[in-house]
Amino acid sequence: VQLQASGGGLVQAGGSLRLSCAASGGTFSSFDMGWFRQAPGNEREFVVGFRRSDSRTYYLESVKGRFTISRDNAKNTVYLQMNSLKPEDTAVYYCAAHTGGRIITSSLRNPSAYNIWGQGTLVTVSS
């Protein structure tokens, strides 16, 4: 299975971007999916995760109400709609998939729980 992330770019504060993550080589609907981000000098940070077993979604507190994850199983694609962007959202954004067994909530937020990663797409928010 491979993941291909796209949609990053430069946007002014308050603007919006939609990231896409296309999966190939696997049954997309059987994966738990997550978006993470990494700013220069920082560790990779959980942004949002979707758990397939109960269709629950979990967000980083600072992005709640601004970011929304969605899936199009027919297109094997997951999206991250980002609104009201802030300069502190600037980072490389990665999509990731967990293809193993049931994942607990704490693991959903942990990068090490994901076994497949996309290449990352850069989001830069100017003030």
Side-chain angles (χ1 to χ4, degrees):
V1 177
Q2 292 186 326
L3 301 178
Q4 180 74 34
S6 61
L10 173 64
V11 63
Q12 289 188 332
S16 298
L17 281 174
R18 189 178 77 158
L19 306 184
S20 300
C21 177
S24 60
T27 306
F28 180 79
S29 60
S30 64
F31 305 156
D32 303 296
M33 296 297 300
W35 285 95
F36 291 79
R37 66 187 181 187
Q38 189 166 17
N42 290 357
E43 294 185 351
R44 194 161 295 189
E45 176 183 49
F46 168 81
V47 177
V48 59
F50 174 86
R51 185 165 61 199
R52 68 183 187 273
S53 61
D54 56 8
S55 297
R56 292 192 67 174
T57 303
Y58 298 85
Y59 290 91
L60 176 69
E61 192 64 32
S62 63
V63 308
K64 281 182 179 179
R66 301 189 297 122
F67 290 13
T68 304
I69 189 172
S70 62
R71 302 160 62 111
D72 186 333
N73 290 338
K75 294 183 178 180
N76 258 10
T77 301
V78 64
Y79 303 97
L80 182 64
Q81 178 67 43
M82 305 186 296
N83 299 328
S84 302
L85 282 161
K86 304 175 181 180
E88 52 263 43
D89 295 319
T90 295
V92 177
Y93 283 72
Y94 299 89
C95 61
H98 170 261
T99 63
R102 180 179 171 85
I103 189 169
I104 61 176
T105 304
S106 58
S107 294
L108 197 65
R109 301 174 185 271
N110 188 340
S112 64
Y114 295 79
N115 55 312
I116 300 171
W117 289 83
Q119 84 287 5
T121 184
L122 176 63
V123 172
T124 304
V125 184
S126 63
S127 57

